[in-house]
Amino acid sequence: MKEHYDVVIIGGGIIGHAISYYLNESSVRAIVIEKHASGSKATKAAAGMLGVHTEHRASDAYHQFCQHSRDLYQDLSKELHELTAINIGLSPFGMMEIAMDETHKKELLEKKHAFTSLEWLEAKQVRGKIPALPPEFSGALFMTKDGHVEPAATCEALKRAALLYGGDLLENTNVLEVTKTEDIFTVQLENASVTASQVVAASGADSERWFKATGMDNPIVPVKGECFSIKPGKHYFKEALFFKDFYIVPKPDGRYIAGATSKPNDLSSDTMAGGLADLMHRVFAVFPDLKEEPMQEFWSGVRPGSADGLPIIGEHPTLTGFYFATGHYRNGILLAPATGQMIKDLITKQDVHQPFQELFSPERLDRKGASNYEYSS
Ligand SMILES: Cc1cc2nc3c(=O)[nH]c(=O)nc-3n(C[C@H](O)[C@H](O)[C@H](O)COP(=O)(O)OP(=O)(O)OC[C@H]3O[C@@H](n4cnc5c(N)ncnc54)[C@H](O)[C@@H]3O)c2cc1C
């Protein structure tokens, strides 16, 4: 570790490592400081969907940011492979949102008309692709470009690529405090300190402390999610499938990940039997065949939600040089490339699309006041 860095990034999840990747690639010397092992919190728990259209009903600025981030993955996956030989598992097979009744079908058809790039598949066409689906569904919205990646591999590749570009990393180290004297930040660790010209808080569901420590109200809402995976002996489908209250993501190694529960304000790391039972009930009601397949693993993670449901990406309203990159809730894997690039652009004073700056600015939270986003349980 050096004594001074251009940028200290607090948190080594996918967001912190994406920021480090883009900064170090641009010759801005950044270090990631991570309390545990890199990528071991929300990032490791994620299914890795790049769900641009499952999250949106209309093409607004947030949708454009999601789409931009998904598109960045095309080149990024190649760059990361060239630099690190890690395959991040970018799926080319798209996602399908399955309509299980006529009301849902109507909603999905409205969504199809709101976007230009989506296809509607009639039930017969869907069955051609996924014979294991039950008879009572009425078609699917096919989001051909919205695939998925392997979150742990992506985080690891970003981490290694940032190091190759000259970045630094300190794991198993808790950042305790950040102070600023004149233009220099001092970042206090357990047994040492380091100085930086700029600091980025990318601490996921633990970001609350950095808002409070810098005089802001806490906008972070932790939302626990539980998942399980099975590894069948046979192949069921290759598209990620999205239903109203669960999803199944097929991975290249033969795993099928089913997720996820949603438990707002739960920061615990336990995977509860009841949560898994509810999830399994939903999955097996649609795919009874999967009941007879071998269970592989179960786990949980805490998503970093925010008071208004949007990520918080930008400079502190009054503490110049202190940035936030958090609150990505259930889209942090999707949004890591665009977030990394945006923080790099802000720090290096490049142009940043104004609507994105306004939408994600930490300042908006002070303007809006108390929480208004409903996290369903
Ligand atoms: C079950 C589940 C399924 C999901 N599925 C998807 C999906 O399909 N697609 C998608 O896009 N997103 C998904 N997500 C959301 C996604 O995982 C998160 O949005 C994303 O991982 C957030 O990344 P992060 O780097 O902000 O947080 P994290 O990965 O949690 O990283 C933050 C890091 O900061 C560290 N830290 C905190 N405080 C300190 C400190 N004081 N000092 C040092 N280090 C500190 C933590 O140890 C942690 O490693 C899912 C999440 C869950 C839980």
Side-chain angles (χ1 to χ4, degrees), residues 1-20:
M1 185 175 76
K2 301 187 193 81
E3 282 178 10
H4 181 84
Y5 289 88
D6 295 331
V7 182
V8 165
I9 299 160
I10 310 171
I14 196 163
I15 298 295
H17 284 298
I19 294 166
S20 182

Side-chain angles (χ1 to χ4, degrees), residues 45-47 49 223-228 241-249 257-263 275-276 278-280 282-283 299-301 303 329-330 376-377:
M49 285 178 293
V223 186
K224 185 162 102 176
E226 294 149 318
C227 294
F228 69 92
L241 301 187
F242 203 84
F243 296 82
K244 267 201 155 161
D245 52 6
F246 72 92
Y247 52 76
I248 306 181
V249 184
I257 294 178
T261 60
S262 183
K263 298 181 173 170
L276 276 188
D278 285 349
L279 179 61
M280 285 181 181
R282 284 179 253 153
V283 171
W299 65 89
S300 68
R303 309 171 184 96
Y329 182 39
R330 56 184 179 197
S376 58
S377 52

Side-chain angles (χ1 to χ4, degrees), residues 10-16 33-51 173-176 202-207 209-210 223-227 247 260-261 299-304 325-335:
I10 310 171
I14 196 163
I15 298 295
I33 305 182
E34 164 55 46
K35 190 164 28 168
H36 304 286
S38 288
S40 60
K41 293 297 173 183
T43 296
K44 189 180 173 195
M49 285 178 293
L50 308 180
T173 304
N174 192 4
V175 176
L176 300 175
S203 317
D206 283 344
S207 298
R209 60 190 297 182
W210 304 119
V223 186
K224 185 162 102 176
E226 294 149 318
C227 294
Y247 52 76
T261 60
W299 65 89
S300 68
V302 184
R303 309 171 184 96
T326 183
H328 294 79
Y329 182 39
R330 56 184 179 197
N331 293 307
I333 309 303
L334 166 65
L335 295 177

Side-chain angles (χ1 to χ4, degrees), residues 37-86:
S38 288
S40 60
K41 293 297 173 183
T43 296
K44 189 180 173 195
M49 285 178 293
L50 308 180
V52 175
H53 294 95
T54 49
E55 298 290 325
H56 297 276
R57 285 169 180 269
S59 178
D60 53 16
Y62 187 29
H63 169 258
Q64 284 159 23
F65 190 70
C66 291
Q67 191 161 280
H68 170 57
S69 200
R70 178 204 65 193
D71 293 346
L72 285 175
Y73 265 114
Q74 291 298 331
D75 285 343
L76 183 63
S77 70
K78 292 178 201 137
E79 286 157 17
L80 292 176
H81 190 258
E82 274 166 28
L83 283 165
T84 67
I86 295 174

